[in-house]
Amino acid sequence: MKKVFFGVVIIYALYAVAISTYLFTVDTPLPEHYIGTEADPQTFMDEEQLMLSQEFSKWRNVLYFVHTPFEWMIYLFVLCFGLSRIFARWSEAKLKFRFLQTAIYVILLSSFSWLVSFPIKYFSYSISKDFGISIQPFHNWMRDQLVSFWVGAIILTIIAYVIMLLISKSPKKWWFYTWLLSIPFTLFLMFIQPVVVDPLYHDFYPIKDKELETEILQLANKADIPADRVYEVTMSDKTNSLNAYVTGIGSNLRIVLWDTTLEKLTKDEVLFVMAHEMGHYDLKHLQLLLLGSIVASFVALYITSKLYSVTINNLGKYLNIKKADLAALPIILLIFSLLSFVSSPFSNAISRAYEYQSDRYAIDLTEDADAAVSTFHKLSVEGLADVNPPTIVKILRYTHPPMVDRITHIRQYSEKLE
């Protein structure tokens, strides 16, 4: 198994060199029919901004395509070199209760993974700092990293304990019972995220600008959206980029605006952003995404169960791992990660379609296409966005349409309404 791992390392190294070379050298010229239009970045970015956006995007893309399979390499390493088995046996020897054993094992596994991948995460943070996107001090960034570590460890402990318990009780149907339990668990996490998880990272409060708040409330009333679900979050101490999003479900559903968005956009532009986020709410995108994730998890767990059984049956004796062993957890995590990557083009395409729908909804609500276009210009400039990314990047990374497509789409839609 060690020889297998080193063979995979060679393949990974060749892949990393190839994909990095491609992403740093690929040229994606703007289609001719976009040149000179308001979707052309040369009309709203200066030469320095264009250069920085291209360089920053290249680094971000390389880091994504290198780091994603690197996570798979970590899982392979702990399996092939017996580290997972050592973690499991140590936790089982130290503690009596299965849940506590699982917790210690997850902490050990997560700590190893976190330490090994830390250089890549730190390099990503440094790149964002160098290009002026992040202004977050190192100690503050480390705090967020540690919060993410413990939140992830707690959630993974619960999931791992349930899965391994079900595998031991029902080796053939464990995936189905896991899926049934995942539905209320997912709903619970979505419900508590805005009030429990998100405040661990940021400060949320009602919008300070009361005049703007009045106009937002009027817009929300026009869209039949509860006004007490609009919040501002402090991000100006961490980043220069702009953002807004919808989070939570039920009574905890919130439309959230970054304070940087409020500071750098005009009133009309903020209202367009708000209308866009209201579109996600009114068009039931969160509910549809939740339903889609439930269906996707059913398929993913079924495939995982089959691949897991094949892996254990063929490699279990070499890894010295049985099907219900806690040490086998990295196999499940590896399969899940692979399936998530493979399915990302489909999920990203759905997300991009929803973004187009919300853009059209916002135009219907505000009747202000000029504010929409100027908003997209500022989002591109402040975030150093690549408005026309390579196809592979768009398919695998972009949950939002590239700005060149988004600006053109919104203008064409508004012209049809005239």
Side-chain angles (χ1 to χ4, degrees):
M1 294 307 300
K2 293 179 181 179
K3 292 181 180 179
V4 170
F5 176 79
F6 285 123
V8 174
V9 168
I10 293 174
I11 295 173
Y12 170 74
L14 293 173
Y15 156 81
V17 171
I19 193 66
S20 299
T21 301
Y22 170 77
L23 292 172
F24 273 120
T25 58
V26 65
D27 182 25
T28 53
L30 194 69
E32 187 174 344
H33 58 279
Y34 288 134
I35 296 176
T37 69
E38 57 193 352
D40 185 345
Q42 292 193 3
T43 64
F44 59 87
M45 284 184 173
D46 59 34
E47 289 300 321
E48 182 181 10
Q49 290 168 340
L50 279 170
M51 181 192 67
L52 290 174
S53 68
Q54 292 169 1
E55 291 299 315
F56 181 59
S57 297
K58 287 177 180 179
W59 277 111
R60 288 182 63 195
N61 293 334
V62 167
L63 285 170
Y64 171 81
F65 283 99
V66 170
H67 183 257
T68 299
F70 186 76
E71 178 183 303
W72 307 338
M73 300 293 293
I74 295 174
Y75 293 141
L76 284 174
F77 180 86
V78 298
L79 288 166
C80 293
F81 284 81
L83 203 57
S84 179
R85 194 170 64 253
I86 293 173
F87 290 159
R89 288 179 178 175
W90 189 86
S91 61
E92 290 167 353
K94 294 295 181 181
L95 297 165
K96 179 179 180 181
F97 298 105
R98 185 66 174 176
F99 183 81
L100 295 178
Q101 293 172 354
T102 304
I104 295 301
Y105 171 84
V106 167
I107 291 173
L108 291 173
L109 178 65
S110 298
S111 296
F112 178 79
S113 177
W114 189 88
L115 289 171
V116 171
S117 61
F118 180 80
I120 296 179
K121 293 178 181 178
Y122 177 74
F123 185 68
S124 179
Y125 160 74
S126 298
I127 289 294
S128 293
K129 289 270 287 187
D130 292 342
F131 281 87
I133 301 299
S134 173
I135 56 174
Q136 187 175 19
F138 175 75
H139 71 275
N140 192 279
W141 176 78
M142 275 298 299
R143 176 191 174 279
D144 286 350
Q145 292 295 308
L146 292 174
V147 169
S148 296
F149 173 87
W150 286 109
V151 169
I154 291 171
I155 294 174
L156 182 56
T157 295
I158 297 171
I159 294 173
Y161 173 76
V162 171
I163 288 179
M164 288 306 171
L165 179 64
L166 291 174
I167 289 177
S168 65
K169 299 294 183 181
S170 181
K172 294 184 178 180
K173 294 289 186 179
W174 68 267
W175 67 272
F176 181 71
Y177 299 129
T178 299
W179 176 72
L180 289 177
L181 291 173
S182 72
I183 297 175
F185 184 67
T186 300
L187 290 171
F188 175 72
L189 288 180
M190 291 182 68
F191 182 78
I192 68 169
Q193 179 174 332
V195 295
V196 176
V197 179
D198 290 347
L200 296 174
Y201 299 90
H202 314 297
D203 295 325
F204 294 83
Y205 43 83
I207 294 177
K208 297 176 181 178
D209 188 333
K210 296 306 177 183
E211 182 179 344
L212 179 60
E213 180 183 35
T214 299
E215 297 199 43
I216 291 174
L217 294 178
Q218 292 173 350
L219 198 64
N221 183 61
K222 185 177 178 181
D224 295 324
I225 294 176
D228 59 352
R229 295 175 183 173
V230 180
Y231 290 82
E232 181 178 347
V233 57
T234 301
M235 291 296 295
S236 54
D237 58 345
K238 296 182 179 182
T239 182
N240 285 317
S241 60
L242 317 178
N243 197 17
Y245 58 91
V246 180
T247 185
I249 57 173
S251 60
N252 281 349
L253 188 141
R254 293 181 175 182
I255 297 175
V256 179
L257 279 163
W258 288 10
D259 63 340
T260 52
T261 302
L262 293 168
E263 292 169 5
K264 297 180 181 181
L265 297 186
T266 66
K267 180 191 69 176
D268 290 339
E269 290 165 348
V270 170
L271 290 176
F272 169 77
V273 171
M274 290 301 302
H276 173 92
E277 298 307 325
M278 291 174 187
H280 286 306
Y281 176 87
D282 205 24
L283 296 171
K284 312 297 183 186
H285 287 163
L286 286 182
Q287 292 90 326
L288 291 171
L289 288 173
L290 175 60
L291 180 61
S293 70
I294 291 173
V295 175
S297 65
F298 178 89
V299 176
L301 281 166
Y302 174 77
I303 296 175
T304 298
S305 70
K306 298 301 180 182
L307 294 177
Y308 182 62
S309 295
V310 170
T311 303
I312 292 296
N313 292 337
N314 289 277
L315 299 177
K317 60 182 178 180
Y318 300 107
L319 297 171
N320 195 20
I321 293 176
K322 296 180 180 179
K323 193 170 186 178
D325 286 351
L326 187 58
L329 180 63
I331 299 176
I332 296 177
L333 296 177
L334 174 59
I335 295 172
F336 256 98
S337 183
L338 287 168
L339 291 176
S340 176
F341 180 78
V342 170
S343 64
S344 61
F346 181 70
S347 60
N348 288 345
I350 293 176
S351 178
R352 291 194 296 270
Y354 286 167
E355 293 301 322
Y356 280 131
Q357 290 177 13
S358 286
D359 283 345
R360 294 193 294 269
Y361 179 96
I363 291 299
D364 291 338
L365 196 60
T366 64
E367 300 178 348
D368 193 349
D370 290 337
V373 171
S374 61
T375 297
F376 294 148
H377 286 170
K378 290 182 180 180
L379 286 171
S380 300
V381 171
E382 297 296 336
L384 294 180
D386 186 354
V387 301
N388 186 39
T391 301
I392 188 175
V393 174
K394 174 183 174 180
I395 292 174
L396 292 173
R397 290 205 62 203
Y398 274 49
T399 57
H400 289 58
M403 285 302 182
V404 66
D405 296 332
R406 204 170 177 185
I407 292 171
T408 303
H409 177 84
I410 206 70
R411 184 60 78 183
Q412 290 176 345
Y413 179 73
S414 65
E415 290 174 353
K416 288 180 181 179
L417 297 178
E418 294 177 355

